[in-house]
Amino acid sequence: MLVQDRSVPKPSKPSSDNRNGEHRRFALHPAKNLDFSAWFSNNLYKILAIFLLVATVAALFFLRSAGDTAALLCFEKTQSATATASSRIAYPQISWNSVRPLGPSAAASPYASFRSDRWIVVSVSAPPSDSLRALARVKGWQLLAVGNSHTPPDWSLKGAIFLSLEQQALLGFRTVDFLPYNSHVRKSVGYLFAIQHGAKLIFDADDRAEVVGADLGKHFDLDLAGEAHATKHPVLLQYSHADPNRMVINPYVHFGQRSVWPRGLPLENVGEVGHEEFYTEVFSGRQFIQQGLSNGLPDVDSVFYFTRKSTTLEAFDIRFDDDAPKVALPQGMMVPVNSFNTIFHTQAFWGLMLPVSVSSMASDVLRGYWAQRILWEIGGYVAVYPPTIHRMDKAQSYPFAEEKDLHVNVGRLIKFLIQWRSKKHTLFERILHLSYAMAEEGFWTEQDVKFTAAWLQDLIAVGYQQPRLMSLELDRPRATIGHGDMREFVPKKLPSIHLGVEETGTVTYEIGNLIRWRKNFGNVVLVMYCTSPVERTALEWRLLYGRIFKTVIILSEQNNTELAVEKGQLGQAYKYLPKVFDQYKGAEGFLFIQDNMILNYWNLLQADKTKLWITDKVPHSWVSIPFDDNGEQWFKDQGAMVKKVVSNFPVHFQVSYKESMSEDKLIICGSEIFYVPQRFVGDFVDLVGLVGDLDIHHKIAVPMFFLAMDSPQNFDSGALATIVYKPNLSANESFSSYYTAKAPAVYPLEVHNEPDFIKLIRIMAAGDPLLMELV
């Protein structure tokens, strides 16, 4: 074989022959062994590369031709995963001890020497509004307005500090490099500025906010460390952790608006409108983030805003219950937190950072959930407070597109945050760790990881001291909730008649009735005497009648300070009423009722609240008895005392009494129910004074007072004339056999405990169907 046996050629003369030329080429370089095995070995990597390329092209061609989409997607996914792995998010490396301090600079700001403990921070894009001027006048607080690219260049407001884009750039903060020019998230600069200038409290506000009563301390807890706070507010109501699967709540239900939901609440939770079965309690003092509510235009999302209006020009004016107690969130449960009505204490200043890689309407909500999770690492919690501001609804467009990050991701985010854990050794390291984990999960991007690193370094630079870590309660066994740990609060269900949405006719009718009843009796005080154990019934009675009346005062043989039950003997109950009259001087009237008289308030709308009501037209309730014909000593004694008191009546009382009653008779009235309008309160008090220490019984004194105050022909006797009154029941008669929703009241019914109360509610629902929501 010529080629195989070829040896090193000898030099030869140049020739034009091709072979000679070939020999000349070999002569210039050392000869190589050209046997096949050696050649294959030397070129193996090239052969494999070509083979793989051909195979890949063939496979792709085959998959596309055959239509095996699943196989093709699997192939593409593998390629994508490989590409992602090669471009993983870089974890910031920070030398925390090397961060240089950054003090206020006179060159950067004319406010270098200014200090204040309390700051209100707002973003401004338009000239100062009346609301903003009011914020500047809130006593004890410094207003800081942060500008953006939309802010007028000549923006100015007396009493406020304004940071223009140019001034922000001179402050030396790392975070400035990450902030968009045309967004409210530039408030992050304002937070750092406030901290640098001595802030201990920051109120994150909106330029449309009007503080209720111009006093942020009216509802918010501003001094968590002081002894006065510990004495005045030792405990807070707290949502129960009994259901471990419940991760987010709608706080608007607690404050009376069950049909409204806050921006940031997962839409799948919007239908959870029932009130809490019970609450627990938590010691006050660690509510480092305090979320207030807004009357007028609350914090609602675009879904609510666009679907609950009949016209786009209609303005919301939604009201929450001012009297509802603030309520805290336990670890493992979250609530939407916004950036226009929230107090941050110094322990939570790190949680003010507004992310920059998400849509503007999602930024503060994502921040709120992120901050809540970190708050648990230092033993803190969020609390929600009654209305602290009022915002006007300008009926402007509400961009759904700006909320896309909420509606797509917020439910998944909450689950992720509750499951997230970190073994980092300091708070700032855990904050950075969480921000990195959220970027990996796609809740925000790497930009916010870098922004978090810059934010934390800026906090250190301005002198902020990070709080110490505490053990996570979530990782400890939850305490069993005993009956003694349960606290009850039944929220008002305020009508949402402002909503333009047309509901079913039945619901509209029922809510309309409730509004009418509340409007009619909303300034009437109900005074109830309980003969049953108050520890089992007091809250239930307040739940039933508190929806309708101004307030419910409960009397009983034994006082109970925890349940606000006053002590009073039934036989002398009328003597306690002057004290109630004095407490509620602005009330329209006072309705007294015993707990065994069931009030069907819906049948009293036509009663005249300027006149006296009593059961003078009800057989067996109002009885005239001659003194001499009754042999019982008790009646004789009562009659003698009545004669004595009447003889001492002033002329107007005595004349009125004697016009209706002969001197030889005595009126006995069950007095289980009667009404005293405000114009007769003074007379009633005077008559109680005239009785003095005499032991005239309630059933004798009340009818005597009524006859002395006015003539029976002036009573609104028809108000209570048709009540069902059965003092002598047969053994086989049940309440359901004689109860009717068409009477103004029904007597008697004994309610001794909660099961009895539930039965009562179900029967009364025939007249007030909304009562079924209470059970």
Side-chain angles (χ1 to χ4, degrees):
M1 300 292 291
L2 179 62
V3 175
Q4 290 177 342
D5 294 339
R6 179 174 294 171
S7 60
V8 179
K10 295 181 181 179
S12 61
K13 295 181 181 180
S15 170
S16 59
D17 187 275
N18 286 338
R19 288 180 298 174
N20 289 339
E22 194 173 328
H23 283 294
R24 183 174 65 247
R25 178 169 59 85
F26 282 122
L28 294 174
H29 300 281
K32 294 182 179 178
N33 188 354
L34 295 179
D35 64 86
F36 179 78
S37 61
W39 176 84
F40 182 82
S41 176
N42 290 336
N43 294 279
L44 179 60
Y45 72 96
K46 296 179 181 178
I47 296 170
L48 289 174
I50 294 171
F51 176 79
L52 288 173
L53 178 61
V54 173
T56 299
V57 173
L60 287 171
F61 179 78
F62 171 76
L63 291 172
R64 292 187 185 277
S65 300
D68 191 349
T69 307
L72 180 61
L73 288 175
C74 183
F75 179 81
E76 291 176 345
K77 184 176 180 181
T78 302
Q79 283 189 318
S80 175
T82 303
T84 302
S86 64
S87 59
R88 287 180 62 86
I89 299 171
Y91 196 95
Q93 301 299 318
I94 302 174
S95 177
W96 303 102
N97 295 327
S98 300
V99 178
R100 298 180 61 182
L102 181 62
S105 169
S109 168
Y111 309 104
S113 61
F114 180 78
R115 294 289 184 276
S116 178
D117 289 344
R118 299 179 175 184
W119 291 74
I120 301 173
V121 179
V122 299
S123 173
V124 292
S125 300
S129 61
D130 290 339
S131 298
L132 206 56
R133 292 186 180 91
L135 278 179
R137 294 193 297 269
V138 175
K139 188 176 181 180
W141 292 77
Q142 175 58 51
L143 177 62
L144 174 62
V146 182
N148 55 55
S149 60
H150 298 302
T151 310
D154 59 347
W155 198 97
S156 178
L157 176 61
K158 183 179 180 180
I161 295 176
F162 172 61
L163 295 179
S164 65
L165 287 175
E166 294 77 12
Q167 289 173 313
Q168 295 171 37
L170 295 174
L171 295 174
F173 298 145
R174 297 169 177 83
T175 53
V176 174
D177 296 336
F178 297 88
L179 301 174
Y181 287 102
N182 61 345
S183 174
H184 71 276
V185 302
R186 298 195 70 86
K187 290 171 76 174
S188 294
V189 174
Y191 306 141
L192 289 168
F193 184 91
I195 296 168
Q196 188 182 47
H197 289 76
K200 298 294 185 292
L201 285 171
I202 291 178
F203 179 47
D204 204 5
D206 178 72
D207 61 354
R208 288 182 290 174
E210 294 184 7
V211 177
V212 175
D215 181 9
L216 285 171
K218 182 178 181 180
H219 286 304
F220 284 130
D221 292 317
L222 305 181
D223 181 14
L224 296 182
E227 292 183 5
H229 172 83
T231 302
K232 187 177 180 182
H233 305 287
V235 293
L236 297 180
L237 276 187
Q238 180 178 251
Y239 286 101
S240 166
H241 61 260
D243 182 0
N245 297 317
R246 190 182 186 198
M247 294 180 286
V248 64
I249 59 99
N250 177 1
Y252 292 174
V253 176
H254 176 86
F255 293 94
Q257 287 290 358
R258 58 179 181 157
S259 65
V260 188
W261 65 88
R263 178 172 53 97
L265 185 75
L267 293 181
E268 59 265 29
N269 296 99
V270 165
E272 298 173 2
V273 299
H275 66 78
E276 301 300 305
E277 181 180 352
F278 62 89
Y279 296 80
T280 57
E281 289 183 335
V282 63
F283 284 108
S284 180
R286 302 195 71 83
Q287 59 271 37
F288 301 142
I289 298 178
Q290 302 173 11
Q291 176 66 68
L293 300 190
S294 169
N295 280 334
L297 176 62
D299 185 21
V300 294
D301 61 22
S302 59
V303 176
F304 180 91
Y305 195 84
F306 282 126
T307 61
R308 308 312 288 266
K309 285 190 171 187
S310 56
T311 67
T312 56
L313 297 179
E314 178 187 6
F316 281 131
D317 187 16
I318 300 173
R319 303 289 170 150
F320 293 97
D321 182 7
D322 293 304
D323 299 320
K326 55 200 170 189
V327 58
L329 280 295
Q331 290 189 15
M333 190 178 292
M334 293 187 167
V335 66
V337 172
N338 60 48
S339 63
F340 61 76
N341 186 20
T342 313
I343 288 283
F344 284 78
H345 283 260
T346 183
Q347 295 91 335
F349 280 173
W350 45 265
L352 284 160
M353 181 195 83
L354 287 166
V356 295
S357 67
V358 297
S359 56
S360 60
M361 295 297 289
S363 180
D364 59 341
V365 174
L366 265 63
R367 174 192 76 172
Y369 286 125
W370 167 84
Q372 284 177 78
R373 178 59 189 86
I374 294 295
L375 199 60
W376 302 343
E377 301 291 329
I378 60 172
Y381 56 85
V382 171
V384 186
Y385 289 69
T388 50
I389 66 170
H390 183 277
R391 289 200 314 160
M392 292 293 295
D393 180 11
K394 303 298 184 181
Q396 298 170 339
S397 60
Y398 230 67
F400 180 84
E402 287 295 315
E403 296 179 354
K404 62 183 184 296
D405 296 306
L406 290 181
H407 302 302
V408 173
N409 287 324
V410 69
R412 185 171 67 91
L413 172 63
I414 294 168
K415 294 177 183 177
F416 166 79
L417 290 172
I418 291 175
Q419 294 171 356
W420 176 82
R421 298 292 186 275
S422 178
K423 295 183 179 179
K424 298 294 184 180
H425 299 296
T426 67
L427 178 66
F428 279 11
E429 288 176 328
R430 292 191 182 181
I431 291 173
L432 187 59
H433 184 200
L434 178 56
S435 292
Y436 180 82
M438 287 177 61
E440 283 194 314
E441 293 292 325
F443 296 115
W444 55 38
T445 71
E446 184 178 9
Q447 185 183 15
D448 272 315
V449 179
K450 296 177 180 178
F451 182 54
T452 304
W455 166 260
L456 295 175
Q457 290 178 86
D458 280 342
L459 283 176
I460 294 174
V462 298
Y464 181 73
Q465 299 293 319
Q466 56 178 309
R468 298 177 61 182
L469 295 172
M470 297 182 66
S471 60
L472 198 63
E473 290 182 14
L474 277 179
D475 293 334
R476 299 199 298 264
R478 291 294 183 109
T480 302
I481 301 174
H483 183 74
D485 301 318
M486 299 178 183
R487 296 293 179 266
E488 293 187 4
F489 169 73
V490 179
K492 296 178 181 177
K493 293 182 180 178
L494 301 180
S496 297
I497 55 172
H498 51 273
L499 301 180
V501 165
E502 296 220 356
E503 300 180 72
T504 64
T506 301
V507 173
T508 303
Y509 175 79
E510 292 170 357
I511 292 177
N513 279 340
L514 182 61
I515 295 167
R516 285 191 291 273
W517 302 332
R518 177 68 184 181
K519 184 176 180 180
N520 190 71
F521 296 108
N523 198 27
V524 173
V525 174
L526 183 71
V527 184
M528 171 175 277
Y529 192 93
C530 281
T531 55
S532 300
V534 290
E535 65 271 15
R536 299 178 184 176
T537 59
L539 293 175
E540 282 77 5
W541 290 124
R542 287 199 172 98
L543 172 63
L544 172 60
Y545 293 128
R547 303 158 58 247
I548 307 299
F549 294 91
K550 179 182 181 69
T551 192
V552 178
I553 303 295
I554 295 182
L555 307 178
S556 181
E557 288 186 356
Q558 300 294 327
N559 71 318
N560 188 317
T561 55
E562 290 186 3
L563 298 174
V565 174
E566 297 283 349
K567 182 179 180 180
Q569 298 299 320
L570 178 58
Q572 303 287 309
Y574 65 94
K575 292 186 177 180
Y576 183 82
L577 293 181
K579 181 180 178 181
V580 178
F581 297 161
D582 187 64
Q583 284 180 307
Y584 296 93
K585 295 179 180 178
E588 190 177 5
F590 300 84
L591 181 62
F592 178 91
I593 191 170
Q594 292 182 32
D595 60 349
N596 52 5
M597 174 73 74
I598 305 305
L599 181 67
N600 293 337
Y601 39 83
W602 52 86
N603 292 319
L604 288 170
L605 291 179
Q606 303 305 318
D608 190 339
K609 297 197 298 299
T610 65
K611 294 184 177 182
L612 295 165
W613 313 344
I614 199 165
T615 54
D616 61 314
K617 300 297 183 181
V618 178
H620 308 296
S621 177
W622 183 280
V623 180
S624 175
I625 299 176
F627 285 156
D628 298 332
D629 293 344
N630 194 300
E632 293 188 24
Q633 187 61 43
W634 185 85
F635 287 100
K636 293 180 179 179
D637 293 341
Q638 292 290 315
M641 287 187 286
V642 167
K643 283 186 176 181
K644 180 178 180 181
V645 171
V646 170
S647 65
N648 291 323
F649 274 174
V651 61
H652 57 290
F653 288 152
Q654 191 170 136
V655 169
S656 176
Y657 180 84
K658 290 182 177 180
E659 281 181 351
S660 306
M661 181 58 53
S662 63
E663 295 184 0
D664 60 342
K665 290 186 178 181
L666 182 69
I667 293 293
I668 298 179
C669 177
S671 302
E672 295 91 354
I673 182 171
F674 59 87
Y675 173 81
V676 180
Q678 182 62 244
R679 69 188 184 101
F680 284 106
V681 162
D683 289 345
F684 197 101
V685 173
D686 290 342
L687 289 164
V688 172
L690 290 169
V691 171
D693 295 331
L694 293 176
D695 193 21
I696 300 180
H697 196 275
H698 181 78
K699 294 182 178 182
I700 305 296
V702 171
M704 178 182 69
F705 289 178
F706 270 63
L707 294 175
M709 288 188 290
D710 205 358
S711 170
Q713 64 185 6
N714 294 329
F715 296 173
D716 187 354
S717 299
L720 302 175
T722 58
I723 70 172
V724 176
Y725 194 81
K726 299 177 73 68
N728 301 309
L729 290 176
S730 61
N732 60 351
E733 277 189 286
S734 65
F735 182 71
S736 59
S737 67
Y738 59 87
Y739 174 83
T740 172
K742 297 180 180 180
V746 180
Y747 173 88
L749 173 67
E750 300 290 339
V751 176
H752 297 287
N753 48 43
E754 187 173 357
D756 289 345
F757 180 78
I758 293 174
K759 293 177 183 177
L760 170 65
I761 290 299
R762 288 173 175 163
I763 294 175
M764 291 181 67
D768 182 0
L770 289 179
L771 283 174
M772 289 303 294
E773 298 179 10
L774 303 181
V775 298

